[in-house]
Structures are given as structure tokens and as C-alpha cells.
């Protein structure tokens, strides 16, 4: 009988540890979700015009950023494109320099 009582004490002693682990897991999950939500839409919706003077494959391009909407970016890009014999152009949304790729990366690119 003595051994049955001592095994019950052992199994009951695991509950506090399990509860602590569950609480830590829930807390970590809440922190991760909170960080993801705070980083999703932190940058403003600005557009950047890219005019590829020597074609898309060239590393030379003219860039102008800070446009409030796509239409303003497009108007500027088309005007500049005409100056360079209708050079290809694109407008990018939320562009930022990526040092690992040594170039600009945008959330989306459009030229319609």
C-alpha cells in the first residue's frame, strides 16, 4: 500500500511543471503573433518609379520615390520614359534597399 501512495504523489508532482510549460508556450505564442501584427503594415504606402534607360537587364536606372499613389508614379515614369526613347519603366510599392541582393526590393511592381 505504501508504494501505491508514493506513486500517486510522484504523478501529482508533474502537474505544476506541465502548467508552467503550457503557460510559457501560450506567452511565447502571444508575443510572436503580436510582433508579426506590428510589423505587417508599418511602412507607408509609397510608390517608387524605376526607368531603365538601357533596358531591364541594365544595372543603370533612374529612380524617384515618394509618390502617394500609383497614378502619380506612372505619370512621372511615362514622362521620363519618353525622354529616353520610350525606355521600359516600373512603379514599385513600398520599396527598400536590400543590401544582401545589392538592389531595391518592392512589395509589388507594376507598369500598366
Amino acid at each position: 500500500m505504501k508504494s501505491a501512495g508514493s506513486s500517486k504523489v510522484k504523478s501529482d508532482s508533474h502537474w505544476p511543471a506541465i502548467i508552467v510549460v503550457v503557460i510559457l508556450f501560450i506567452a511565447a505564442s502571444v508575443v510572436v503573433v503580436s510582433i508579426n501584427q506590428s510589423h505587417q503594415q508599418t511602412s507607408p504606402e509609397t510608390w517608387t518609379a524605376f526607368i531603365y534607360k538601357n533596358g531591364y537587364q541594365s544595372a543603370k536606372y533612374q529612380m524617384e520615390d515618394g509618390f502617394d499613389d500609383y497614378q502619380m508614379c506612372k505619370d512621372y515614369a511615362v514622362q521620363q520614359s519618353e525622354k529616353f526613347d520610350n525606355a521600359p519603366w516600373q512603379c514599385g510599392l513600398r520599396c527598400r534597399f536590400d543590401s544582401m541582393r545589392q538592389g531595391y526590393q518592392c512589395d509589388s511592381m507594376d507598369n500598366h
Side-chain angles (χ1 to χ4, degrees):
M1 292 251 185
K2 204 172 195 185
S3 64
S6 63
S7 68
K8 183 173 171 102
V9 171
K10 282 185 179 181
S11 67
D12 287 345
S13 66
H14 292 295
W15 282 108
I18 292 171
I19 291 171
V20 168
V21 169
V22 168
I23 289 171
L24 288 174
F25 179 75
I26 291 170
S29 299
V30 168
V31 168
V32 168
V33 168
S34 173
I35 290 171
N36 277 344
Q37 287 178 345
S38 69
H39 282 89
Q40 276 183 344
Q41 196 93 2
T42 56
S43 61
E45 185 169 301
T46 59
W47 289 86
T48 304
F50 297 91
I51 298 88
Y52 305 96
K53 299 176 185 181
N54 298 321
Y56 281 117
Q57 302 305 323
S58 170
K60 286 190 156 202
Y61 56 84
Q62 178 181 333
M63 182 185 97
E64 185 70 33
D65 60 354
F67 296 100
D68 291 333
D69 59 33
Y70 175 75
Q71 190 60 49
M72 290 174 64
C73 180
K74 177 182 176 180
D75 292 345
Y76 175 83
V78 168
Q79 176 191 22
Q80 294 299 308
S81 170
E82 290 171 356
K83 291 181 181 179
F84 299 105
D85 197 27
N86 292 322
W89 62 271
Q90 287 183 310
C91 284
L93 177 61
R94 287 189 209 88
C95 300
R96 64 221 162 266
F97 188 77
D98 184 342
S99 59
M100 295 206 34
R101 296 182 184 179
Q102 291 298 307
Y104 282 88
Q105 299 297 312
C106 305
D107 286 357
S108 67
M109 296 289 276
D110 201 355
N111 68 343
H112 294 99

